Amino acid sequence: MNEKLPIAFTYPKEYFNITDTLECGQIFRYKRLPNGAYAVYSLDKYAELSYNGCDVEVRTQDKDYFWNFFDLDADYESKARRISALSPLMSEAVAFGKGIRILNQDLTEMIFSFIISANNNIKRIQLIIERICAALGQDTPYGKAFPSVQSLASAPVRLFTEMGAGYRDRYLSETANRLLGYDLSVLSALDSASARRELLTFTGVGPKVADCIMLFGLKRGDVFPVDTWIKKVYHEHFEQGHKDSEIAQFFCGLFGQDAGLCQQYLFYFQRKYRQGQ
């Protein structure tokens, strides 16, 4: 724990579980510290999270940024109660992961992070992002910042290859160069269907990656990212003969504006709990 960092705020831990929130697949720039606290990085910002009795204690120089980042104005108790009432499965999934909060992350960082995430595992995604930050990010008192679009666009494709991005090296380079002249606020102004179609025009952004960017970077609750864990959930509990390409639409129709949060509860429950049974 960095004792020089001020305690910016505390928050009741029942609906803000540090591990549940950071390890449910929505963020990659975090690490567990030797003392059990978690370090979280976003752009050039840094925070440390730990428990103090019944509360989460957040240490950071950027109080307002991380209050919004952790979505602490939202009432997750009401959300959890509403979703739990949908079915016994959802009740069980919410009970297991009710400390999950959907983070308000930077859209640019989400685009590049989830391009890297395609067909990849979390440890490798974290390593690639860490290497890219080390190579191209600006210095901060707590490590390297996430690189600017300008830094990413000016880097040769081979740098991303050397960082371990594999076939995604070209995707990162082409998307960075496109973003040089692109106003991302356009995406925020679009309805979800239109924003998703626009994201799919970016190199390296497929349906699942687009939905992740929508959920974690644009705060759209009416999307449902589908990966191998969610496919298992569908086939075990919701099977109705849909093709893989139809599963996201099925869940969006089932859960509506709660679809994104339901996805996180189900994903985390399947990957963390059911896998360990």
Side-chain angles (χ1 to χ4, degrees):
M1 180 75 68
N2 189 332
E3 298 296 342
K4 294 181 180 179
L5 277 173
I7 299 173
F9 54 85
T10 60
Y11 195 90
K13 69 180 183 180
E14 183 177 8
Y15 291 95
F16 182 19
N17 183 284
I18 302 170
T19 302
D20 291 355
T21 296
L22 298 181
E23 296 190 5
C24 64
Q26 61 177 318
I27 184 173
F28 304 112
R29 293 182 66 211
Y30 70 87
K31 63 182 178 181
R32 190 149 195 177
L33 301 174
N35 62 2
Y38 278 84
V40 178
Y41 304 83
S42 176
L43 296 178
D44 61 345
K45 309 290 194 298
Y46 176 82
E48 291 181 1
L49 283 70
S50 59
Y51 291 113
N52 184 355
C54 295
D55 295 328
V56 174
E57 185 176 273
V58 180
R59 292 176 176 266
T60 181
Q61 299 283 359
D62 299 288
K63 176 181 178 180
D64 291 344
Y65 182 88
F66 280 104
W67 181 273
N68 177 68
F69 184 83
F70 293 115
D71 202 27
L72 296 179
D73 282 328
D75 181 2
Y76 278 75
E77 181 176 2
S78 295
K79 293 173 188 278
R81 188 184 306 115
R82 181 173 64 247
I83 293 169
S84 293
L86 294 174
S87 71
L89 172 65
M90 294 313 300
S91 178
E92 193 175 5
V94 171
F96 180 74
K98 71 176 182 179
I100 292 172
R101 303 185 80 88
I102 304 293
L103 303 176
N104 289 314
Q105 300 186 71
D106 177 73
L107 179 55
T108 301
E109 187 168 340
M110 289 300 91
I111 290 172
F112 291 106
S113 295
F114 279 94
I115 287 174
I116 292 168
S117 78
N119 300 310
N120 217 340
N121 63 67
I122 289 178
K123 287 185 178 180
R124 190 161 179 267
I125 297 163
Q126 290 178 313
L127 182 59
I128 294 168
I129 293 174
E130 182 180 346
R131 288 170 176 168
I132 291 174
C133 289
L136 300 174
Q138 295 291 315
D139 288 321
T140 80
Y142 307 102
K144 293 285 189 173
F146 194 84
S148 66
V149 169
Q150 291 77 11
S151 294
L152 291 163
S154 64
V157 174
R158 69 175 181 276
L159 181 139
F160 300 117
T161 312
E162 292 166 357
M163 299 298 101
Y167 68 87
R168 307 166 197 84
D169 53 5
R170 178 177 62 84
Y171 300 165
L172 295 169
S173 180
E174 291 185 12
T175 294
N177 278 277
R178 181 176 174 186
L179 285 176
L180 282 175
Y182 192 95
D183 182 3
L184 282 173
S185 66
V186 170
L187 291 174
S188 299
L190 295 174
D191 62 71
S192 294
S194 299
R196 189 174 190 269
R197 284 195 297 270
E198 179 66 9
L199 281 169
L200 289 171
T201 68
F202 283 78
T203 306
V205 177
K208 186 254 185 178
V209 168
D211 286 342
C212 287
I213 294 168
M214 294 272 290
L215 180 57
F216 307 131
L218 283 171
K219 197 65 176 181
R220 302 298 174 92
D222 56 344
V223 298
F224 200 97
V226 174
D227 68 348
T228 55
W229 295 108
I230 290 298
K231 288 176 185 177
K232 289 180 181 179
V233 171
Y234 171 79
H235 292 303
E236 289 178 16
H237 302 284
F238 298 91
E239 181 65 65
Q240 293 187 26
H242 292 91
K243 298 176 183 177
D244 285 356
S245 60
E246 299 170 336
I247 293 175
Q249 186 176 0
F250 163 76
F251 278 121
C252 286
L254 185 65
F255 295 128
Q257 291 297 319
D258 287 325
L261 183 55
C262 288
Q263 190 271 356
Q264 286 290 274
Y265 287 142
L266 289 169
F267 170 83
Y268 192 61
F269 182 60
Q270 183 75 22
R271 186 169 68 93
K272 287 285 190 176
Y273 176 68
R274 295 185 66 84
Q275 179 185 226
Q277 286 186 314

